[in-house]
Amino acid sequence: MNPAKSAFRISLLIALASGALAVAGPAAAVAKVPHATLSHTEYRLLGKTLVGIKQAVFGKSLDLTLGYASCRADGSSSSLMRSERSACGNEVALFEQLEQVEVTEIRCHAQYLTATTTTTTTPTTTSTGTTTTTGTTTTGTTTTGTTTTGTTTTGTTTTTVDGYNVVQLRLVACLSPSYQRVTHDIQTVYASSALNHKRAVARGFTGACLATLAGPAKLITDERRFASAGNEIAADFAGLTELADGQSPKRVILDSQLTSDGLAFELAASAYTAAMTPIEKLSSCAHE
């Protein structure tokens, strides 16, 4: 699967304005805040930072600078605020990398997808001969020679390595670095989201509020699945890149496996984006 195609990119764009980002603002003192309650500052800055994220993502153009700044505004006054800031920033970083994958895909496809090698062979030539003999009193016989028209064969010379077209391998090698980075970012998102969820639970938040602050439990499961699927497709690309470089890959990668891993990645991506919980439910959180 190609994780950067438009449908996935749009779904992630929507997800960025959702509860998994659960942004907060700077220095929010929570020392004496009641259990399962946001401090006044936390609540106010959570809402304020959301405005920045929405503007950065849903404005006339993508504003990553504003997105990152909004996440950094979470501050570090409490463990929850630190994890909110981390989860927010990692989500924005993932979105940025997916944007870069699109750019890389366009460049790599333009460079390799249409590359072909054609050989044309013309084995014979065409010749026509005519012989005429004319005597003084006898008109000789006129002989027209046989005409032979050669056959022209045009074919495509395809070089393969372990069953893979060399041009396809070069295309994969061109795309692979971007997919490695995306997979790393997905894993980072999963780790930070899991920690953020744990800290929100420790503060006593449940139900709609917990889902707003850290995403529902299903989201964590879907992120783990997404990270796992990313590992597989990235490993496939790495192996094919080794093959393109004339090396022996550490594992045999069949075309059927590549297709299966791609589909698994696409399904995991869809489940991940669908599990996002709208942050508009922040009002469901008790606050000072």
Side-chain angles (χ1 to χ4, degrees):
M1 175 236 158
N2 177 358
K5 66 183 181 180
S6 295
F8 177 45
R9 182 177 67 83
I10 292 172
S11 63
L12 182 61
L13 183 68
I14 294 172
L16 280 173
S18 302
L21 286 177
V23 290
V30 295
K32 297 182 180 180
V33 177
H35 190 63
T37 302
L38 292 171
S39 71
H40 172 75
T41 301
E42 284 178 316
Y43 185 80
R44 178 176 59 83
L45 293 177
L46 277 166
K48 182 179 179 180
T49 308
L50 174 60
V51 173
I53 289 295
K54 284 188 173 182
Q55 182 180 341
V57 175
F58 289 101
K60 293 182 179 180
S61 61
L62 177 65
D63 190 340
L64 291 170
T65 300
L66 176 58
Y68 283 120
S70 297
C71 294
R72 287 194 299 269
D74 291 355
S76 58
S77 63
S78 70
S79 60
L80 178 61
M81 284 300 195
R82 289 191 291 273
S83 63
E84 292 284 353
R85 180 183 63 187
S86 177
C88 175
N90 289 331
E91 289 281 356
V92 175
L94 175 58
F95 178 73
E96 179 180 16
Q97 188 54 48
L98 286 169
E99 289 287 297
Q100 289 302 312
V101 166
E102 282 195 355
V103 174
T104 301
E105 283 184 333
I106 293 172
R107 175 176 60 81
C108 292
H109 277 75
Q111 185 173 358
Y112 293 110
L113 197 60
T114 59
T116 57
T117 302
T118 303
T119 301
T120 301
T121 304
T122 304
T124 60
T125 59
T126 300
S127 62
T128 301
T130 302
T131 303
T132 303
T133 304
T134 305
T136 304
T137 58
T138 304
T139 302
T141 301
T142 299
T143 303
T144 302
T146 302
T147 300
T148 303
T149 302
T151 302
T152 299
T153 303
T154 301
T156 299
T157 301
T158 302
T159 304
T160 61
V161 178
D162 285 3
Y164 285 94
N165 184 297
V166 168
V167 174
Q168 293 174 328
L169 287 177
R170 289 173 180 169
L171 175 60
V172 169
C174 183
L175 292 170
S176 184
S178 287
Y179 276 87
Q180 306 305 321
R181 287 191 291 270
V182 162
T183 297
H184 173 270
D185 285 353
I186 293 170
Q187 293 170 334
T188 302
V189 164
Y190 165 58
S192 62
S193 293
L195 177 59
N196 190 44
H197 189 274
K198 179 180 179 180
R199 288 179 175 175
V201 169
R203 283 278 298 271
F205 298 111
T206 60
C209 179
L210 175 61
T212 299
L213 292 174
K218 182 181 184 301
L219 177 61
I220 307 302
T221 299
D222 288 334
E223 286 177 339
R224 182 171 62 247
R225 178 187 172 197
F226 193 15
S228 177
N231 283 339
E232 292 301 314
I233 198 69
D236 290 345
F237 271 48
L240 292 176
T241 297
E242 291 175 342
L243 201 59
D245 291 339
Q247 303 175 26
S248 297
K250 296 177 182 179
R251 65 174 181 173
V252 177
I253 305 167
L254 302 176
D255 185 63
S256 58
Q257 177 187 340
L258 190 61
T259 300
S260 176
D261 289 345
L263 178 59
F265 186 85
E266 182 175 5
L267 292 175
S270 297
Y272 166 67
T273 55
M276 293 296 194
T277 303
I279 198 171
E280 281 78 5
K281 294 183 180 179
L282 183 63
S283 59
S284 65
C285 297
H287 56 281
E288 293 180 326

